[in-house]
């Protein structure tokens, strides 16, 4: 994308120019707890599928530095569709306690990307950008959608996310953010197109409820965020 090419060109200089401001603001960084627990706002049923909450291991939580999370699996062994939704929330990001991009983590877990692109989803007129990855792990394949949500906006570009974090930390002392990930395993009876349809509908169903858990950003209306940002 042309906009991301410009970001790659100018971002290092921008980061350097704002580095001093970021350091000055670091001491006043504010930890922002959730307004409501994610387990309360995240839908317990999607596409007619009931859900089961799963626990992330203590060691994994320590490594990720996550402040709070929800990990919900939808569907059972008897359903033709199964999927999972993970939302990891960070009250404030700092060294050793920052969001790890699935783009880097998934290959480390044995999942190799077959295809990836940035797409736009819509939820009742609200359009937002999402990363789409088709992955393989030996004989298994899965479709993953993920995005970054918080401080009154949704972002998909890792470059833009880094810029926004530096900007908001310097100007408002805030770096709170959530990583949202939808994973749809591909089965012999489920095509990639069908998995895309499932992930699209789930993304549209959860983006607004997640905003209900996240601390608001007074100067930024999440419903005004435009796709492609």
């Amino acid at each position: 994308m042309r906009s991301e090419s410009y970001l790659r060109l100018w971002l290092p200089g921008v980061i350097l120019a704002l580095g001093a401001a970021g350091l000055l603001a670091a001491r006043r960084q504010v930890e922002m707890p959730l307004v409501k627990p994610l387990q309360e706002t995240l839908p317990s049923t999607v596409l007619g599928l009931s859900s089961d909450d799963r626990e992330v291991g203590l060691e994994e939580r320590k490594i990720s530095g996550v402040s709070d999370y929800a990990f919900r699996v939808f569907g059972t062994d008897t359903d033709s569709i199964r999927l999972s939704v993970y939302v990891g929330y960070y009250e404030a990001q700092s060294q050793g306690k920052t969001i790890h991009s699935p783009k880097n983590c998934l290959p480390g877990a044995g999942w190799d990307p077959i295809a990836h692109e940035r797409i736009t989803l819509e939820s009742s007129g609200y359009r937002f950008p999402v990363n789409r990855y088709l992955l393989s792990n030996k004989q298994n394949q899965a479709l993953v959608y993920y995005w970054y949500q918080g401080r009154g906006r949704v972002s998909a570009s890792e470059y833009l996310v880094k810029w926004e974090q530096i900007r908001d930390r310097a100007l408002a002392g805030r770096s709170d953010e959530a990583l949202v990930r939808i994973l749809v395993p591909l089965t012999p009876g489920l095509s990639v197109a069908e998995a895309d349809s499932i992930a699209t509908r789930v993304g549209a169903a959860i983006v607004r409820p997640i905003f209900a858990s996240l601390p608001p950003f007074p100067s930024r209306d999440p419903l005004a965020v435009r796709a492609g940002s």
Side-chain angles (χ1 to χ4, degrees):
M1 296 176 66
R2 181 175 298 179
S3 60
E4 185 157 330
S5 297
Y6 284 128
L7 278 171
R8 289 180 179 179
L9 178 64
W10 292 105
L11 186 59
V14 172
I15 290 176
L16 182 62
L18 291 178
L23 289 173
L24 289 173
R27 291 186 177 179
R28 66 180 184 90
Q29 183 173 204
V30 180
E31 293 187 353
M32 302 294 296
L34 291 168
V35 175
K36 296 180 180 179
L38 291 164
Q39 287 80 2
E40 289 185 9
T41 59
L42 196 65
S44 58
T45 303
V46 295
L47 309 183
L49 301 171
S50 58
S51 65
D52 179 33
D53 285 335
R54 303 294 175 86
E55 185 176 348
V56 176
L58 178 60
E59 188 63 25
E60 188 175 347
R61 296 202 303 271
K62 286 182 177 179
I63 293 173
S64 68
V66 68
S67 304
D68 203 349
Y69 75 94
F71 182 27
R72 193 158 284 178
V73 175
F74 294 86
T76 66
D77 292 336
T78 59
D79 291 312
S80 58
I81 300 171
R82 296 198 75 183
L83 62 103
S84 68
V85 173
Y86 170 81
V87 184
Y89 178 68
Y90 295 73
E91 294 182 351
Q93 298 183 71
S94 59
Q95 186 173 1
K97 188 180 179 182
T98 186
I99 292 178
H100 300 277
S101 168
K103 182 173 68 173
N104 301 321
C105 294
L106 289 169
W111 290 95
D112 298 316
I114 300 174
H116 62 89
E117 61 181 320
R118 188 160 302 133
I119 61 175
T120 300
L121 302 188
E122 183 171 341
S123 175
S124 301
Y126 173 54
R127 305 177 73 229
F128 59 103
V130 169
N131 291 300
R132 175 194 182 274
Y133 273 75
L134 182 61
L135 305 167
S136 69
N137 185 340
K138 298 179 180 179
Q139 302 302 317
N140 301 313
Q141 291 190 347
L143 183 70
V144 170
Y145 283 13
Y146 75 89
W147 64 88
Y148 304 91
Q149 186 170 345
R151 305 192 309 279
R153 95 288 183 255
V154 170
S155 287
S157 165
E158 274 78 11
Y159 294 97
L160 183 58
V161 165
K162 180 59 67 176
W163 151 251
E164 290 172 335
Q165 183 187 138
I166 293 172
R167 176 199 62 196
D168 292 345
R169 181 171 178 175
L171 299 179
R174 288 180 55 177
S175 60
D176 47 287
E177 192 156 29
L179 168 68
V180 185
R181 186 193 69 204
I182 301 168
L183 187 149
V184 183
L186 297 182
T187 62
L190 187 68
S191 68
V192 174
E194 290 169 329
D196 270 307
S197 175
I198 291 168
T200 295
R201 286 181 286 167
V202 173
I206 67 175
V207 66
R208 288 174 178 269
I210 291 172
F211 268 127
S213 276
L214 303 180
F217 200 85
S219 62
R220 196 172 297 141
D221 179 2
L223 300 184
V225 176
R226 295 189 300 175
S229 61

